[in-house]
């Protein structure tokens, strides 16, 4: 009795262990339910080491366990489920290097308890075959397109058409995963889930199924599924950009850029938690980036796109044949052929039965020689087949058919050679342009020594420009002070005229200098910028130009308005000439900059 109680207690501890560790990650602070659900399920996937098991290895495990012969609604007990999981993990350790071995017993215990808690909440001790297949095929590693193809093979009929009842059953099972991580209110199963995925379609084939479930955005109830796979792809992606909120100098994972605030970018931690500062708001539209491209890579991508090397508007998945596929419970589909539209060389390889290189072989620059060897091997094979067919079928085929086959093989070999040469030339051109761009973007001592005469002239013009700016600032300050002096002079003149009019019995309004315009500050030309107004008329004339001095030189008042207008015209002309000279210096400096840049480009072109 004591041993049974201890075993039961240990089982309860193991059952809760995964959820306790998940709560310790504090995923609930993530603001958006989609990211919150994807992060939780990704944690479960990695903690149970399911991300190390590829979907095709999982399918092979189903076949080895005999699950492909059982009905979807058949039930298996927990002990048999444990045996199946043991087989999966022990086979995984055989494939892994000795330095990366996993703890098989711990992985089995965590995954078994999670599956029982998810699909046997009532404690019957049994799970259906379809529940186990749906869960393991969804949570294992691999590409989402391969997983969806396998799921479609399980829910389609013999004609390759999806059965809505089986898809409804799949949604029931797969949506128990968000519920198991406490996200059921956001992504729980409802009776309308099927129609929300396929609102109008009546006949769903494989490509339509993939189009809808891999669309952007996908159906609302499954929006967490592609996000979980994107999380796996960007966990180690580095972005050398500073976060606008936490000021971290680098980002790992996703990067989010605001579409309204220029240059505002957030790391995934700040965006998930809803952080914002400055003019940015959480209501602004953000664009998610899963990679970082340096300026050199952007240039090479633009060049490749312009040369037609990069297809525009690639589909989210390859186009597969519309005929029905057998349920993928074997490893016959492990190596998938490339679609016809992707690569012409792959099409030829598939038509001849030659092994098709994987995507990593074709896209890796270090494996281009291997691709060329495959093409050469295929060309030799075509030549050999053409020779054998000529000898073996000379008595069976008419001469016209033989010549036609030979010409077709010859054209294929020529086409392969042309494509190979063009591919090599394009790669060399891209490499050359990339090196040229990197060299041009780095400052060198030779660039600084080009055109010393132009550089000297440019420095002189900039020095002249600075002097004119300082002179203009001094003139503006002098103008302000002279306006203050002029205002004082106007007041003194007005008081003097009023005194004289009172003494002579005349009217103060008879003075020709009196009027509304006399109280306005008028700029005048001055040879001194340091004069200040005082309380006496003679002191007020200190440092004032000749026009004003002439107006007050005699004891008899003159028509001061005309004299002030002349002085205003003089200072205005002086300021205008100064501004024109300053603008001419700016234009000359800009022209010299352009000439120097054009000269540098011309020298580099001549050097090349």
């Amino acid at each position: 009795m004591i041993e049974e109680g201890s075993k039961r207690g240990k089982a309860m501890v193991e059952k809760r262990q995964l959820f306790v560790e998940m709560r310790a990650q504090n995923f609930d602070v993530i603001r958006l339910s989609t990211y919150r659900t994807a992060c939780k399920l990704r944690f479960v996937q990695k903690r149970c080491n399911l991300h190390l098991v590829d979907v095709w290895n999982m399918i092979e495990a189903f076949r080895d366990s005999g699950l492909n012969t059982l009905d979807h609604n058949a039930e298996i007990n927990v002990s048999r489920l444990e045996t199946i999981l043991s087989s999966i993990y022990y086979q995984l350790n055989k494939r892994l290097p000795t330095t990366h071995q996993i703890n098989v017993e711990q992985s089995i215990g965590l995954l078994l308890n999670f599956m029982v808690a998810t699909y046997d909440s009532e404690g019957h001790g049994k799970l259906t075959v379809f529940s186990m297949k749906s869960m393991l095929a969804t949570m294992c590693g691999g590409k989402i397109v391969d997983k969806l193809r396998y799921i479609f093979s399980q829910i389609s009929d013999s004609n390759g058409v999806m059965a809505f009842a089986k898809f409804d059953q799949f949604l029931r099972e797969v949506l128990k995963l968000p519920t198991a991580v406490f996200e059921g209110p956001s992504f729980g199963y409802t009776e309308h889930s099927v129609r929300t995925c396929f609102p109008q379609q009546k006949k769903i084939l494989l490509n339509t199924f993939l189009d809808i479930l891999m669309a952007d955005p996908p159906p609302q109830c499954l929006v967490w599924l592609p996000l979980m796979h994107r999380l796996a792809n960007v966990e180690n992606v580095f972005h050398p950009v500073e976060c606008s909120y936490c000021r971290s100098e680098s980002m790992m994972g996703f990067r989010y850029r605001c579409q309204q605030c220029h240059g505002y970018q957030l790391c995934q931690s700040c965006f998930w938690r809803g952080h914002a500062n400055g003019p940015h708001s959480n209501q602004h539209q953000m664009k998610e980036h899963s990679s970082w491209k340096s300026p050199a890579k952007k240039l090479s991508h633009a060049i490749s796109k312009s040369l037609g090397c990069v297809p525009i508007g690639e589909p989210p998945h390859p186009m597969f044949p519309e005929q029905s596929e057998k349920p993928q419970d074997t490893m016959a589909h492990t190596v998938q052929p490339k679609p016809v539209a992707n690569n012409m060389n792959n099409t030829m390889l598939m038509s001849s039965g030659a092994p098709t290189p994987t995507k990593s072989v074709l896209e890796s620059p270090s494996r281009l020689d291997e691709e060329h060897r495959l093409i050469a091997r295929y060309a030799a094979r075509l030549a050999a087949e053409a020779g054998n067919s000529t000898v073996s079928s000379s008595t069976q085929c008419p001469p016209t058919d033989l010549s036609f086959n030979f010409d077709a093989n010859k054209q294929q070999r020529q086409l392969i050679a042309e494509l190979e040469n063009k591919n090599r030339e394009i790669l060399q051109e891209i490499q050359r342009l990339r090196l040229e761009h990197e060299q041009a973007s780095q400052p060198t001592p030779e660039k600084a020594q080009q055109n010393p005469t132009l550089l000297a002239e440019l420095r002189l013009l900039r020095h002249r420009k600075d002097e004119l700016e300082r002179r203009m600032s001094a003139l503006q300050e002098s103008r302000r002070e002279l306006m203050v002096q002029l205002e004082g002079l106007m007041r003194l003149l007005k008081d003097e005229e009023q005194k004289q009019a009172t003494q002579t019995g005349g009217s103060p309004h008879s003075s020709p200098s009196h009027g509304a315009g006399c109280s306005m500050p008028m700029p005048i030309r001055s040879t001194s910028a340091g004069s200040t107004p005082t309380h006496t008329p003679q002191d007020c004339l200190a440092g004032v130009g000749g026009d004003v001095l002439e107006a007050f030189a005699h004891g008899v008042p003159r028509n001061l308005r005309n004299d002030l207008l002349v002085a205003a015209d003089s200072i205005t002309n002086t300021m205008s000439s100064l501004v024109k000279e300053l603008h001419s210096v700016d234009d000359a400096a800009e022209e010299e900059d352009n000439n120097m840049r054009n000269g540098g480009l011309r020298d580099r072109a001549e050097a090349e």
Side-chain angles (χ1 to χ4, degrees):
M1 294 294 293
I2 297 176
E3 292 181 357
E4 292 180 358
S6 61
K7 289 182 179 179
R8 190 179 300 108
K10 183 179 179 181
M12 292 297 295
V13 171
E14 291 179 350
K15 184 176 181 180
R16 296 175 181 176
Q17 179 182 355
L18 185 63
F19 296 100
V20 170
E21 293 179 1
M22 184 179 66
R23 288 185 181 276
Q25 299 295 319
N26 202 19
F27 291 122
D28 290 328
V29 301
I30 299 177
R31 182 170 55 99
L32 301 175
S33 60
T34 304
Y35 288 94
R36 193 167 59 244
T37 305
C39 288
K40 290 181 178 180
L41 292 177
R42 175 63 178 168
F43 172 79
V44 173
Q45 182 190 47
K46 294 180 66 176
R47 189 66 183 86
C48 297
N49 289 313
L50 276 175
H51 66 296
L52 302 175
V53 184
D54 191 80
V55 61
W56 303 110
N57 300 125
M58 192 65 72
I59 295 172
E60 181 66 10
F62 294 160
R63 184 190 66 81
D64 293 341
S65 302
L67 297 180
N68 57 326
T69 61
L70 298 178
D71 185 77
H72 283 175
N73 296 322
E75 294 182 340
I76 57 175
N77 54 28
V78 176
S79 60
R80 184 175 179 184
L81 174 60
E82 186 175 3
T83 303
I84 296 172
L85 297 182
S86 302
S87 174
I88 292 173
Y89 282 115
Y90 279 113
Q91 291 295 327
L92 172 63
N93 255 356
K94 290 181 180 179
R95 295 189 297 270
L96 294 175
T98 55
T99 56
H100 293 76
Q101 298 287 303
I102 65 170
N103 189 337
V104 174
E105 297 298 330
Q106 184 184 34
S107 300
I108 294 173
L110 291 174
L111 182 57
L112 181 65
N113 289 324
F114 179 75
M115 293 182 68
V116 171
T118 304
Y119 294 101
D120 187 29
S121 57
E122 297 180 359
H124 296 304
K126 294 181 179 180
L127 279 76
T128 64
V129 173
F130 190 65
S131 298
M132 190 186 67
K133 283 185 175 182
S134 301
M135 186 272 174
L136 292 177
T138 302
M139 294 294 293
C140 68
K143 298 179 180 179
I144 185 174
V145 62
D146 297 332
K147 296 181 181 181
L148 293 178
R149 285 189 67 200
Y150 171 73
I151 291 169
F152 186 82
S153 69
Q154 302 295 307
I155 62 176
S156 58
D157 56 20
S158 58
N159 297 322
V161 180
M162 187 192 76
F164 279 88
K166 292 183 178 180
F167 179 70
D168 181 77
Q169 184 181 4
F170 166 72
L171 286 182
R172 289 177 184 270
E173 303 301 335
V174 78
L175 291 180
K176 289 179 181 179
L177 293 173
T179 304
V181 293
F182 315 108
E183 296 295 336
S186 300
F187 300 105
Y189 171 81
T190 62
E191 296 179 356
H192 305 287
S193 298
V194 177
R195 285 302 171 187
T196 58
C197 297
F198 305 100
Q200 299 177 353
Q201 293 82 358
K202 296 182 179 179
K203 184 179 180 181
I204 307 299
L205 301 177
L206 174 60
N207 291 318
T208 306
F209 181 79
L210 296 177
D211 287 340
I212 294 176
L213 266 65
M214 296 182 66
D216 187 15
Q220 181 61 31
C221 61
L222 295 174
V223 69
W224 52 269
L225 181 58
L227 179 58
M228 184 180 71
H229 289 79
R230 295 204 306 273
L231 280 174
N233 295 332
V234 303
E235 283 181 346
N236 298 319
V237 174
F238 174 76
H239 305 268
V241 182
E242 182 184 26
C243 177
S244 299
Y245 183 84
C246 67
R247 300 302 176 185
S248 175
E249 296 182 356
S250 60
M251 302 182 189
M252 294 293 292
F254 286 121
R255 173 171 55 92
Y256 297 90
R257 182 165 54 88
C258 182
Q259 301 298 290
Q260 299 183 29
C261 304
H262 178 70
Y264 193 90
Q265 301 190 78
L266 292 176
C267 62
Q268 68 176 21
S269 178
C270 293
F271 175 74
W272 288 355
R273 286 157 176 78
H275 294 325
N277 58 346
H280 178 69
S281 171
N282 289 330
Q283 304 302 322
H284 290 181
Q285 184 179 3
M286 303 289 286
K287 185 175 182 180
E288 182 182 273
H289 294 272
S290 57
S291 63
W292 166 259
K293 290 184 180 180
S294 63
K297 288 185 178 180
K298 290 180 181 179
L299 177 63
S300 63
H301 181 78
I303 295 174
S304 302
K305 191 174 181 180
S306 62
L307 294 175
C309 302
V310 178
I312 301 174
E314 293 185 3
H317 64 84
M319 297 300 294
F320 297 98
E322 294 293 351
Q323 61 266 25
S324 62
E325 292 186 343
K326 295 180 181 180
Q328 299 176 10
D329 284 318
T330 66
M331 288 296 290
H333 299 271
T334 302
V335 180
Q336 296 297 330
K338 292 289 181 181
V340 177
N342 280 3
N343 193 294
M344 188 171 184
N345 296 335
N346 292 345
T347 305
M348 297 178 181
L349 292 173
M350 288 187 291
S351 63
S352 66
T356 305
T358 60
K359 182 177 182 181
S360 60
V361 172
L362 292 179
E363 293 183 352
S364 176
S366 62
R367 305 291 296 275
L368 290 175
D369 293 337
E370 184 175 351
E371 178 186 359
H372 297 322
R373 287 196 297 270
L374 287 172
I375 296 174
R377 187 187 307 168
Y378 172 67
R381 181 174 178 176
L382 283 177
E385 289 178 357
N388 294 335
S389 62
T390 303
V391 175
S392 62
S393 61
S394 58
T395 59
Q396 299 178 2
C397 299
T400 56
D401 294 341
L402 289 175
S403 60
F404 176 77
N405 292 333
F406 181 77
D407 292 340
N409 292 333
K410 185 177 180 181
Q411 291 176 359
Q412 289 178 352
R413 290 196 299 273
Q414 291 177 352
L415 181 60
I416 291 172
E418 292 176 0
L419 291 174
E420 183 179 359
N421 293 332
K422 184 177 181 180
N423 185 28
R424 190 181 295 108
E425 291 175 0
I426 291 174
L427 291 175
Q428 292 176 355
E429 181 68 15
I430 291 174
Q431 184 67 18
R432 186 185 67 82
L433 292 174
R434 183 185 293 114
L435 293 175
E436 181 180 341
H437 174 73
E438 291 177 355
Q439 293 175 359
S441 61
Q442 296 178 357
T444 58
E446 290 79 4
K447 291 182 181 179
Q449 297 176 359
Q450 291 177 357
N451 299 326
T453 305
L454 294 176
L455 291 175
E457 293 179 359
L458 182 59
R459 283 194 293 269
L460 289 175
L461 288 172
R462 288 178 177 171
H463 182 66
R464 177 61 175 165
K465 177 185 175 182
D466 294 337
E467 289 181 353
L468 291 174
E469 287 179 350
R470 288 193 296 270
R471 181 181 171 189
M472 186 173 182
S473 300
L475 288 175
Q476 288 177 347
E477 182 65 21
S478 176
R479 174 177 174 268
R480 184 186 65 79
E481 294 178 356
L482 290 175
M483 288 170 62
V484 174
Q485 293 179 9
L486 184 61
E487 185 71 21
L489 291 174
M490 295 297 296
R491 286 196 298 269
L492 292 174
L493 179 62
K494 184 178 178 180
D495 295 340
E496 186 67 24
E497 289 180 353
Q498 287 178 354
K499 291 179 180 179
Q500 292 180 1
T502 304
Q503 292 175 0
T504 59
S507 174
H509 298 283
S510 61
S511 174
S513 63
H514 180 80
C518 296
S519 62
M520 297 176 62
M522 297 293 290
I524 60 174
R525 185 176 180 179
S526 172
T527 58
S528 174
S531 61
T532 56
T534 58
H535 296 287
T536 62
Q538 286 296 339
D539 293 336
C540 292
L541 298 178
V544 182
D547 296 325
V548 179
L549 286 174
E550 186 179 357
F552 291 88
H554 304 85
V556 181
R558 299 177 48 193
N559 189 349
L560 188 58
R561 170 183 280 183
N562 296 333
D563 294 334
L564 293 178
L565 290 176
V566 171
D569 292 337
S570 178
I571 191 63
T572 302
N573 294 333
T574 302
M575 294 295 291
S576 299
S577 61
L578 180 61
V579 171
K580 289 180 181 179
E581 185 177 359
L582 185 61
H583 287 173
S584 64
V585 172
D586 291 338
D587 295 339
E590 184 178 358
E591 184 177 359
E592 291 298 333
D593 286 333
N594 294 333
N595 292 336
M596 189 175 68
R597 286 196 295 269
N598 295 333
L601 294 176
R602 187 163 51 253
D603 294 341
R604 186 170 61 185
E606 292 176 358
E608 293 177 356

